[in-house]
Every structure is written in C-alpha cells, then in structure tokens.
Amino acid sequence: MAKRLAASGDEDPYSKRRKLGHDGPPKAPIPEISSTKQLQELLAFRQDAGPDTRRNIQAFKNFLDATAYGEDAELQSSKRKILLEYLTRQPLAIDDGRPTGSFDLMTIWSFAAQSTNEHLYSAVTAVLALLLKTISRHVEFCDLGKAICSLILQREQLKVLEKGLSAQKTKDYIISPCLRLLTEIVSFDGGFFASRVYRFKDVTFKRLDTFLSLTQEKNEAGPSSRRKASIRDNALRYLFVSFKLQDHATKTEMLSHGNIVRFMLQNSKEDPSWFVRELLKVLKEDILLDESIPRRVKARVFVDNVLGSIATLYYYRHNDQDAPDDEQNPEKHIIPESAHALLLSICTTPAYGVLHKEGRSSLNTKGEDVETLVEPIADQSKPALLSTRPQRRKPVRNTNVASFLQSLRPHANELQRDLVLATFEATPELISDYFHKKSTFSFEPKLTATWIGYAAFLLSTIQLPIEKQLATIVGHGSTSPPPGDLAESILPLPLNSKVLTRCLNQSVGLIKFFAIQILNAAFKNLGYVVRYLQSSRSAGNNVHDMTRTSAASDLLDEFSQRCPDMNHVVVVFRSCATDDTTLREVSARLLALYYQHVPQKALEQKFDVSVALSAAIDDIVSTKSQPKEPGLESLVLEHLLKIASCSPDLRWWQSNGHNQRSLFMSGFQLCATLKEGPVHDSLFELLQSASLEGLNLDPAHGRLLLVILLTSLDGTQAWRPPDSVFIFVDDLLQRLVRKGVKYHQDLLTLAEEIHAAAEDTTEAPLGTFLVALMEQWPFVQKSATEIDLEGFSRWASRLFSILDGTRKVSKLSHHVHGSIKAVTTSELCRKWLEESPDKGFGSVPMIPLEIPCSPNVPKPELSGTWTDDRAETAQVSTDAWKPPSPPPSEDDNHTGLRKWKRLDVEEAIAVGAVGELMLCLCSQYGEIRKQALTEVRSWMKRLQASSYNERGPLYLLAGEFVETVKDCIADRPLPYFVGVIAAESCVVLADPLHMLYAKVNKFLNKGPTWNVEKLPSYWVEHVLMRLPTNDDDYYKEVSWLLDQLIDGLRTPEDMELYRRCHIMERLLSLAASPSLPALYQDKLFLLLFRCIYVGGSTTLVTRYSFLGWASCWKASGNLSRPQTNMLEHLVQQCRDGCDFERVNEWSGGMFRLNLDGKPDSSI
C-alpha cells in the first residue's frame, strides 16, 4: 500500500488532532477585594500554597494597581482606607530600631523560597515592590512602610532576597522583581534606608555587573518585548536611585570598588533614549558635580575606556519603538549632544578630577626641575639646532585623556572635532602627544572626505591660541626651550616639507587651499613665538637672554626645514584663475609671510613681484568708479605691497608691457584715487621709498614732492585728470631718474639767470621737476592732441596754484609758469593756465597734513594748512581764501563703539579705533556714554590679556581715564579736550620714540584720576612753559598741543573750559613770538575760528581784547598776504558773531564808533 501524501497548503501534515474538550475543571475567576476582612482572608498563609494562593496574590496586585493608578479618585480613596486598615491590623512595629512582629506576605515569600516555587516567589516579590511604591506616596503609611522595609532588611529576609538575585540570568521574571523591590526600598521616604541597603552590599549589590551586562536578544525585538523592562533596565534604575539618595561617603565607596560606571555605560547604545538621558544626567549631576566625592575617586572612575564608552553615544540611534527614524526626530541629535556636553566638561574642567591643572610638570614647589632631560654637550662641529635638541620627550600627566583622544575620529564627526580642539586648548601638552601617537594618517593629498576632514581638523588645531602651548613648552626654567618642540607646536608632526609640497603641487584647488591656509596659520604662530622669545628678558640674567635669543634663531631654522620652498607657493599664485580671488588672496598672504618671517628662504627664490603688483594695481584702477576699496582685490594688493617693501630688486621705473605707465605711476594713480585706507598708507610709504632711491632725494624733500604731485592729481567732481596726464607726469619723473644730474645743472643755470632765491635751488626735487616740465612743454604742444593738451593745462594750473600756496620755489615757479604760458599756442589751454583753478573745475584740492611717513622722516611744513577732527586735511592758502569749516558734528552712527572689536590690539591703536571709542564718552547722549564706558572696560580686558609690548602704559592710561570719567558722565558729556587727550595719548604710548612719550608717562604718574577742570592748563604749561624732551622738538610739541586744542574745541562748554583755564591769553602771547613758524600761526588762526564757531566771539572781545590784538599783529608787518586775508576774515566774523549790545556796553560805546569808522582799529 502506497504512503499517504501530505496535504497541500500551509497546514502542517504532522500536527496532532485538535482537542475538543478541556482537561479538568475551568479556572476560578480572580476575586475583587472590597473589604479589609476579605483582604485578610486572601493573604492568610496556608501550608498548601497552590493555585489559590497565586490567584489571591494576583487579586492583591490588581487591588494595588487600582489604588495607585486608578482614574476614579473616590474609588482610590476607599481602597486606600482598606489597605491602611489591613496594614494596621498586621503585627508590624519597630522597637529600638529593630522590627518586631510579622507580615503575611513575608511568610508567603519565605515559604515560596523554601519550597522553590519560583512563580509564587516572583509574584510575591513583585507585589511587595508595588506595595512599597503605592504607600510611599501617602504620609499616613510612612511608619508602616518603614516597618515593612526594616523587616525586609533583616538577615532572614535578606537570605530570601539573595535567593532571587542568585537565580540564573535567563530567569528575568525572578531577578527583575527583586531589583524593583530594592529600588523601592532605597527610594522610600527620601532615601531613609539607602545607607542600610548598601550596608548589606554582599546581597543587595550582588551580581550587579552581570545584570548590567545583560541585553535583550535580537530575536526579542518584537513589540511586546519592547514594553517589558529588561534586567539591565531594572539594574540601572536601582543604581540611578542609589547615586541620587546615598550619602557622599557611601557614593565614594560605591565608586571606589568595582567597575559600576563602566558596566552602566556598557551597551548603552542599545538602551532607550530616555534611559540614556537619565544615565548621562546621573553621571554629571550626582557624580561629577558632587564636590563631596574626592577628585582622585572621580579620576579613578572616568578612565579612558569609560570615556570611550560615553563617546560611543556620538553614533547613538534611538531604540524607542514608536519613535520615527528620520532626520526630523529630535532624539537623533539630543543624545549625541548630551554626551558631547558631558565629555566636554570632563576633558576641560580640572575640578572634575580627570584633567590635571598643569600639563608637563617641569618645576616642583621649590622651583627645581622635577624631570631633567638629558641634554647633550654642544658640539662645535654640529649646528646649534641639533646640539640643543633633547634626547627624549617629557611624558604627559593626563594619560587617560591622551589615550581617550586616540580613539576619537575628529576628521569624521563634527562634535568629536570640537571635543578634541577644546581639550587641546585646555591642555596644550596633549597636542604634540596626540600627533606623535596618531600615526594612522599620513596626510598624503587625496580628494576624499577623510582627507578634507583631517585637513580641517589640522587647520583648526593650528589656529588654537599659541600662548598656552608656549607657556607649557618654555616653562619657567633657564634652559633653552627645545626648538623641535616649539616647531611641532606651530606645525604638528603630520605636516612636513615633503607632504606640504605635494599638496601645493596638486591640481585640485581645494587641496591647495587647505595647505596654504595651514601654512598661513603656522606662520602667524611662528611670528608670535619669535616675538616672545626675542622680547623675553630677565633682569640680571644675561645667559638667560642669550639662551632665549638663540632659541628664536634655532626655531626659525627648524621651521624653515619643515615648510616647503617658496617657489611652490609662487607657482600656485601665478596659476590662479582670474575669478579665483580667494585662492589668490591666501597665496599672496602666504608669500608676504615668507618675506616677513623667513626672508632668507624667500630671497633665495626669484620672484619678481613687479609684474604681479602692477597687474593688481591696474585691476583695481580699471574697475574703480568710486573711491572705495574693493574686498579681496584690495587684500591681494595689500599683501603684494608687503612683499614689495621687502623685495630688493623692484622695478619701479620700468614701463609695463600692457600700458605706457611705469609701476611707480600706476601706484601713484591708485594712491590718488583711494585717498585713505591701509592700502593707501602702505602704497604711499613704498612710493616715498622708491622716490628717495630713484630720484636721489632726501626724506623731507622727497615726501614734499610726492605730496604736491599727489594733491595736484587728485580729481574732483568737476574734473578728473585723464590717463594722458598721468603718463605725462610719469615721463617727467623717469627723465629725472635717468638724467638727474643734467636737470640739476639746468636748475642751477636757470636760478642764476632769473636771480632766484637760494631756497629755489635747495628745494631740488621741486626745482628739477619744474625744469623738466618747462623743457618738455614745447614738445607736447606739437605731439599731443587737443584733448590731452587741455588736461595738461588744467593739471599745470592746479600745480602752480599749490606751489604758490606752499611758498616753495616761488620765483622759479612763477618763471616756469610764465614760460609755459608763452609757448602755449592753444587759446583754450592758455585760458586754463591764466585762470584760477577754482573757476572751472572745482576748488584747489587739499593737501593731507598727516600723510603716513617713517618716524625718522620730518614732515614738510606747508603754510596755510589746518587740521580738522583727527583725520583733517589742510587747505592751501591763496588770495581767494575761504574760511575753514565749522567743528564736526557728532556722528549719529557712533561707529567707534564697534570698530575696535574687529581689530587686534595693536591695529586698533594704530588706526585710531581706540581713540574713536574714547571720544564716544563726549557724546551728548547718556546711553552712548554708558555704552562707551562699558566698551572701554572690555578693551582693557583684551589689552591685559594680549601680548602687546606696550600694554602696561596703555592699561594704566585706560584705567585712569575710566576712573576719571565714570562719575562725571552721568549728568553731562565729558569735555572734548579730555577725550582728545586720552585718544592721542594712546598713539603716543604706542610709540616709545614719540617726542611726548616721557611727558605723557609723567602725567600718568601724577595720580589715579585726572583733574578735568585743570587739564588744558596742565598741558599748556608743560608744553609752552617747559623745556622739550628733545632740544629740537619745541615747536613740534607746540604743534601737537595746538592740534589737540583745536580738536578739543567743539561746543560752547569747551570754550568755557578754555576760558577758566586761561588758555587764550597764553596762545595769543605765543603768536607774538617773531620766531614762530608760519605753520603754527595758521593753526592759531584755526583755533580762533573754532572759538568764533562755538559762540566765543564775545569772550574773545571782552576777555582777551582780540580786536586790539589783531590790529597790533596786522600792523607788525610779519604776516604774509594770505595770512592778512585770514586775519581780516577772522576779525569780521568775530564782529558779526559777538553780542553787539554786550560789547558796546563794555567798550563804552566805542564798538559802535569803530563799526562806523575804521574796521581794523582797536577798541
């Protein structure tokens, strides 16, 4: 007979036949407890504990659930009364701290343990935990709950509990209730029994490491298993409560024995998110922030593997069942950020015990070296660099943190990169150790995400503040700091000449950009370290000074070997595309840093900056429609100018291939266009240096020629010089360069013919230039177009007007002017040469009085010039003189409050940003003054923390200024003169070679505050009435004082302050000095105009008899014609601005008679 085939479908062919009936009687229903008596009967102990006992325990559990979590408040109250009455009837009591009596549940619990009835044991344990949880919320159960807890903590009951905790780890239905019961006992009544629970740690903390290591199996990941707490979950809850409620001695003992924290963090990636958050919170608030736990215990707990377990949470993925797994889920980022905050605190805060306060301990309490490095004896046959290198490295103290950092991946995770950088900044000793041990990445250039991340990490590391690293390496000893360690702190170990050269030679722009930025940051740190070593001086220890100086030289040699050759950077700069301005800017900055810090290495390469500089200037000039500096283009030009200032073979006078101008004239045209700014200042310095070398000029005369030419080529809204004018001026200057001797001889010959004054020949630059102009003028009349001739004539008219105003080479100037007018054939050009420049194309341009120049180069004295408001321009005096403008009004934007924040300390002082901030204290608005005072204090903090060499005197100045103004600016503005003196003193103290450096320091040593009411008279007395610091600087100091008095006079209140200090009497007496130069007379005129503008005309007439003084000064005959015109305008404005009735009454009616009679007579 054939075998029967299996049935088709999903039905199992070997399954048994389904039973149709039930074996035995049906299960009895679980009763519902409604009275105390019923509850007593259900929980009474029976020797035959069978299904009925388990059913009764389940009924009690349902009763407790309804009591604790029921929604009906009235029903909860009635059940609570039943429970209270039941527990009261139980023989529970505490006598002298020891429990007496018994409890039905305890009896059943002990019986279940002895009879190995695991299901009954588990049920009773769970009910006991639920009972304690239910009654812990109500105060009337407090004593009963304590009695139950005390009874459980008896040795007999602990043995019952130990049997459950000793069960096999697969029997979670037995272990979990036990852990929940311990949790409720510890947390009962605010931790009343917490220390007693730990006292029996051989039972209560038994196998915790095993429980914490248990995780749910992968095949249990269904919905039902997620709702059920695992053994690890219950063990963690137990430890959370213990760390929160135990006293500090118990917590210290818990942390000192075993690896509880390590097991708590083990497999934390698999825990639910709310569990992980609670775990991190306990670690921080209950362990790290607990000051009662010793630091040594914390350091023993948070070792490298524990920190690594926390770091695994950077890659945490939520394990909550109902949480969405997408980027919008906040849990996806909360856990990594919380772990990052915890690690950041541990690795950067010494108070937490893991991080030591000091890195390499080079000195003990007596100041002696704790660990002496074996220094080889210097061999004269070897370079000093090799002879001073230590034979072995100092070990780091923060070994746990150092080992932990090696396990992180800062190139792949942004939070980990922030953690490593913050740790480096807090403990600089770890930087060198990290890169020495991190040998898994060689930084070979590859355009991958790993390489880009690692490059960004290296760049951020180099950009960290170098001050702490330098203090760690140099220390306080007298030995020379190892140049190898110094070089590694500037350029970490993975970076060397070979690797960086490969990066620069890549075709990918991003790789080159990172390599250049890394070198830029390294050069910046190099400059700081070298300045620190060269400026370090210890009194009476010349050996120490020589050691530090030698260390700076050795460091430069070491760094030169580690950085690539400059020719690779030159190739990158030249190969930059026109639109790739960013790469061009950073490469130009790097080239400038090569010239600045390692000039020997830079000068070995043949880099002709002339072509690049000319192209950069032409790009800006050709695209400039407004006098405003571009962005990156101006930065490129600024870097190229720094290179040009260091380059010995710059071709200034050679014409470029793409235009007809020389490099000198290209720069000159840009300088005339910009008018101000850092590029203008640097370019002017270079042009001045080039003119001194090319034209063989002395500094003063060379600068005067540049100022006059620059002013004559300065365009206005009515007329702007065309390119042909610049080409013509360039041709004249090149002739002076090539044939300087010839034109000088022509000048001497012409001076004899016209009987010129001696100054016409001593002012050689102006004279030879005019001779060349006169020589070439007939030729341009023949070859130039009509339009070009018109431009030449306009420019020549402006030039001669400026020369007349400066009173330089006046006779020669008039002769040349007449000569070129005589040979001019065009009527239009002749008209331009004959007319005043202000009649056709705007007023005569103003000559900058404060054009930057070297401190050793004297400034030319230009007659008829004034300064106005810190950045003033001077107006050339002509017969058609115009009065100066009124004092500047307050800037509504108050940019001085913010400008200093964008600059470093030295630059903020150099550009006047600090001075502008101090002048904000003179504002008429109280809120601005308060904000300015706060900003000054902030700047003082930055100054104190900086490495600026002159920070000491400047900090003293700022401190005295703050102490002076903090009480007097609440109700009224600070007098402008006080703010001006403070601002100008910053400039003086920043330059120790300044002529007033000694007087300003002497003024600061007078006291902690300034007498505002006597400040003008103090400076007038110490400048006018005292000897100068240098014998030849008296009038220079007078000029400085006049500038401050002019700038400090802006309001009627300032005029009143000058009156009380008797300022005008002394200055009017100074004007009578026959040796006073014309420049200072002009400044006195400007001060008097300021007095009239602020309403001081009446004071001048009645207090100082100004009209009589003016009549005497005019009658002396010592004034030039432009000065006479100024004085007449000044007298007229004084008459118009004074109080007529007051002055007439004061003069006894003579003022009216003088108005009707002679206007220049005195009263």
Side-chain angles (χ1 to χ4, degrees), residues 239-254:
L239 286 174
F240 291 166
V241 173
S242 298
F243 279 120
K244 288 181 180 179
L245 300 178
Q246 294 285 6
D247 56 87
H248 67 275
T250 304
K251 282 200 294 186
T252 301
E253 188 176 354
M254 288 172 59

Side-chain angles (χ1 to χ4, degrees), residues 525-568:
N525 291 343
L526 174 67
Y528 178 86
V529 175
V530 171
R531 287 195 303 269
Y532 172 81
L533 294 175
Q534 292 177 347
S535 61
S536 297
R537 296 291 183 267
S538 59
N541 193 350
N542 295 328
V543 176
H544 179 71
D545 296 344
M546 295 176 61
T547 302
R548 290 290 175 88
T549 305
S550 175
S553 177
D554 293 342
L555 172 62
L556 291 174
D557 294 339
E558 177 77 12
F559 186 84
S560 298
Q561 297 175 12
R562 296 175 65 91
C563 66
D565 292 336
M566 197 187 75
N567 60 335
H568 301 287

Side-chain angles (χ1 to χ4, degrees), residues 1122-1135:
Q1123 289 179 331
T1124 303
N1125 292 337
M1126 283 188 275
L1127 185 60
E1128 291 177 354
H1129 281 280
L1130 186 62
V1131 171
Q1132 185 61 41
Q1133 289 201 17
C1134 183
R1135 291 177 179 274

Side-chain angles (χ1 to χ4, degrees), residues 745-761:
Q745 293 295 332
D746 293 345
L747 172 63
L748 296 177
T749 303
L750 181 61
E752 293 179 359
E753 294 177 357
I754 63 175
H755 304 288
E759 66 173 8
D760 289 355
T761 57

Side-chain angles (χ1 to χ4, degrees), residues 601-623:
K601 194 178 185 69
L603 295 177
E604 290 176 359
Q605 314 299 329
K606 295 182 179 180
F607 175 53
D608 186 8
V609 71
S610 305
V611 178
L613 182 60
S614 178
I617 291 175
D618 291 341
D619 289 342
I620 296 181
V621 171
S622 61
T623 58

Side-chain angles (χ1 to χ4, degrees), residues 96 172 182 338 340 399 418 486 534 667 765 922 1043 1067 1076 1113:
D96 295 335
D172 59 339
L182 287 174
S338 301
H340 174 70
T399 54
D418 295 341
L486 288 174
Q534 292 177 347
C922 306
D1043 288 338
L1067 295 181
L1076 185 68
W1113 201 12

Side-chain angles (χ1 to χ4, degrees), residues 118-362:
E118 294 181 349
H119 294 285
L120 181 59
Y121 179 88
S122 174
V124 176
T125 308
V127 167
L128 283 173
L130 182 58
L131 174 62
L132 291 177
K133 187 173 184 179
T134 302
I135 66 177
S136 65
R137 304 177 182 178
H138 305 283
V139 68
E140 62 268 20
F141 292 94
C142 182
D143 295 336
L144 296 171
K146 289 182 179 179
I148 296 174
C149 292
S150 299
L151 189 60
I152 296 174
L153 293 177
Q154 290 299 306
R155 177 60 64 179
E156 295 78 9
Q157 303 300 329
L158 286 175
K159 291 180 180 180
V160 177
L161 181 62
E162 183 181 9
K163 187 172 183 179
L165 293 175
S166 302
Q168 296 180 6
K169 60 183 181 180
T170 56
K171 296 182 178 181
D172 59 339
Y173 63 94
I174 297 178
I175 300 174
S176 291
C178 295
L179 293 173
R180 292 202 300 270
L181 178 59
L182 287 174
T183 303
E184 296 301 330
I185 295 175
V186 172
S187 61
F188 190 83
D189 196 18
F192 184 81
F193 295 95
S195 60
R196 192 181 305 179
V197 170
Y198 185 75
R199 190 183 308 163
F200 303 103
K201 57 181 177 294
D202 55 335
V203 176
T204 56
F205 280 78
K206 187 176 182 180
R207 300 179 66 196
L208 267 183
D209 52 352
T210 303
F211 299 155
L212 291 172
S213 302
L214 297 178
T215 56
Q216 292 182 346
E217 299 295 335
K218 296 296 183 181
N219 55 4
E220 297 180 1
S224 60
S225 63
R226 281 303 181 189
R227 290 194 293 268
K228 182 180 178 181
S230 64
I231 297 179
R232 172 178 167 82
D233 296 343
N234 289 294
L236 283 174
R237 286 194 181 100
Y238 175 42
L239 286 174
F240 291 166
V241 173
S242 298
F243 279 120
K244 288 181 180 179
L245 300 178
Q246 294 285 6
D247 56 87
H248 67 275
T250 304
K251 282 200 294 186
T252 301
E253 188 176 354
M254 288 172 59
L255 295 172
S256 300
H257 297 84
N259 297 317
I260 293 181
V261 175
R262 180 170 65 88
F263 285 108
M264 288 173 65
L265 290 167
Q266 188 176 2
N267 299 321
S268 57
K269 288 178 60 177
E270 306 299 330
D271 293 331
S273 59
W274 68 272
F275 242 121
V276 177
R277 289 200 303 270
E278 185 67 20
L279 172 60
L280 296 176
K281 182 179 179 182
V282 169
L283 291 177
K284 183 174 183 180
E285 296 182 359
D286 299 321
I287 299 179
L288 287 175
L289 295 180
D290 191 348
E291 298 180 356
S292 62
I293 301 177
R295 294 180 68 252
R296 56 179 178 78
V297 176
K298 297 178 184 178
R300 189 181 304 166
V301 171
F302 291 97
V303 292
D304 53 349
N305 56 355
V306 173
L307 297 177
S309 299
I310 301 176
T312 59
L313 297 177
Y314 279 118
Y315 306 100
Y316 177 82
R317 287 189 172 274
H318 58 85
N319 297 311
D320 299 350
Q321 175 192 354
D322 300 327
D325 189 10
D326 54 18
E327 293 295 334
Q328 303 299 327
N329 180 23
E331 300 293 342
K332 195 176 185 68
H333 307 286
I334 290 178
I335 299 301
E337 291 175 357
S338 301
H340 174 70
L342 178 62
L343 288 172
L344 198 63
S345 302
I346 294 174
C347 296
T348 60
T349 308
Y352 291 164
V354 179
L355 189 71
H356 294 284
K357 293 183 179 180
E358 295 181 359
R360 295 175 179 172
S361 181
S362 59

Side-chain angles (χ1 to χ4, degrees), residues 842-859:
S843 60
V844 175
M846 294 190 283
I847 299 176
L849 184 63
E850 297 294 338
I851 294 181
C853 66
S854 174
N856 299 324
V857 178
K859 298 179 181 180

